[in-house]
Amino acid sequence: MKKVFHLEPIYKSFVWAGRKLIDEFNLDPGLDSIGTIYCAIAIPNELDSEVREAGEPLSSFYTSHPDVFGCDEEEFPVRMTITCNEGFQSYQSHPDDAYALEHDGARGKVSGAVALHESDHVGTWLFGHKAVDRNEFRELIEAKAWDRLFTTLDVRDGDFVHTPAGVIHGGWGSGIVTATFGTNGDLTYRFYDNDRNDPNRLLEIARATARASPNFPSAQSASNRFEWKTCSATTTTTSMAIMWPRSWSSTDRARTPTMDS
């Protein structure tokens, strides 16, 4: 008989958060707003899901119970969140592991997201850039010439969108609830934050520029094809269960978004 281990969710508010996640999942988090529910993450001393039955954080549980995971990665390799942006999220990107470990001593982040409720609604996301080189990239940021900087992506609710390291994105949220699957990192390089000047939300223009991905000639880079090494969290005797706020289901759909260059 299998033994099931449950991961307790972590609730976090942000300046762009609202109450939709609270109302959607009937939560009582002790917060006025929630931007992200961390369902599975293992960053020690920062964001580390608790394994309910073991009473310990996921990062150490992963190390001490390799039989549960069947994985040869040294650190827990993946994360899963539920997010709803109801305000202005910074313009930002995430670095890859090599750059992040060298400059920040932390893991980078690669992710992909899908709306939990599919529909025929199509939204336009800021996604990728038009700059021909890093000098122009920096100049467009300093001039706040966002229309000249960003490319856009048309996304239907239910489409899966892969965000590689270095791809710039962000901006005004649409209030859509999304599930995001990614590598086990939480490092963000903001290069514009709606002129908030919040000391707790520092801008990293130089690093965002240094790690900006090449501009995109087609939709191929943003298609629903993405690759990373994953590990099974289920063996013949044990399994891990992410604690969803409540049950939900979504029809599988693989639709390639279109890129407006």
Side-chain angles (χ1 to χ4, degrees):
M1 183 176 180
K2 288 186 178 181
K3 182 175 182 180
V4 177
F5 295 92
H6 299 82
L7 302 181
E8 299 290 358
I10 300 171
Y11 305 118
K12 190 172 180 179
S13 182
F14 293 91
V15 294
W16 42 264
R19 289 195 53 86
K20 190 165 185 177
L21 290 178
I22 296 173
D23 297 336
E24 175 88 4
F25 299 114
N26 193 29
L27 303 176
D28 185 16
L31 298 170
D32 293 331
S33 62
I34 296 177
T36 297
I37 303 170
Y38 294 84
C39 301
I41 193 166
I43 303 176
N45 304 314
E46 184 178 344
L47 289 166
D48 210 348
S49 302
E50 180 182 346
V51 183
R52 180 195 298 172
E53 287 75 11
E56 67 176 302
L58 178 57
S59 62
S60 61
F61 184 82
Y62 175 79
T63 302
S64 60
H65 295 78
D67 54 305
V68 174
F69 299 91
C71 181
D72 59 4
E73 293 292 314
E74 183 177 347
E75 299 175 355
F76 190 75
V78 296
R79 57 175 269 170
M80 188 269 164
T81 60
I82 300 174
T83 296
C84 183
N85 178 8
E86 299 183 67
F88 185 92
Q89 194 178 60
S90 64
Y91 294 156
Q92 59 183 254
S93 66
H94 308 287
D96 58 22
D97 272 355
Y99 188 89
L101 287 168
E102 179 182 353
H103 292 83
D104 297 279
R107 293 287 182 183
K109 181 182 172 185
V110 176
S111 64
V114 61
L116 295 191
H117 305 291
E118 64 177 359
S119 74
D120 290 329
H121 169 264
V122 177
T124 300
W125 295 13
L126 299 178
F127 195 89
H129 69 88
K130 307 172 190 175
V132 298
D133 55 34
R134 300 192 193 286
N135 288 334
E136 184 181 24
F137 185 90
R138 180 71 180 252
E139 290 170 359
L140 292 174
I141 290 175
E142 292 175 347
K144 299 181 181 178
W146 309 127
D147 289 343
R148 292 167 55 199
L149 175 65
F150 278 101
T151 52
T152 59
L153 193 67
D154 291 332
V155 181
R156 183 175 297 179
D157 295 351
D159 284 350
F160 177 87
V161 178
H162 171 43
T163 305
V167 173
I168 63 172
H169 57 282
W172 289 105
S174 59
I176 294 174
V177 178
T178 61
T180 302
F181 304 85
T183 53
N184 186 43
D186 200 53
L187 194 58
T188 297
Y189 292 161
R190 302 181 191 90
F191 58 88
Y192 177 69
D193 200 28
N194 205 26
D195 297 322
R196 291 186 176 108
N197 298 316
D198 185 339
N200 296 315
R201 293 171 59 83
L202 298 178
L203 300 183
E204 298 276 8
I205 297 175
R207 293 189 179 183
T209 301
R211 299 314 299 163
S213 64
N215 56 16
F216 299 121
S218 70
Q220 190 75 0
S221 299
S223 72
N224 56 356
R225 303 177 306 103
F226 75 106
E227 297 179 0
W228 58 54
K229 185 174 181 180
T230 59
C231 300
S232 170
T234 303
T235 67
T236 56
T237 58
T238 59
S239 65
M240 296 294 296
I242 295 171
M243 290 303 295
W244 294 90
R246 72 179 182 208
S247 298
W248 66 276
S249 62
S250 179
T251 303
D252 290 336
R253 180 168 60 189
R255 183 175 289 115
T256 303
T258 58
M259 181 69 69
D260 176 13
S261 59

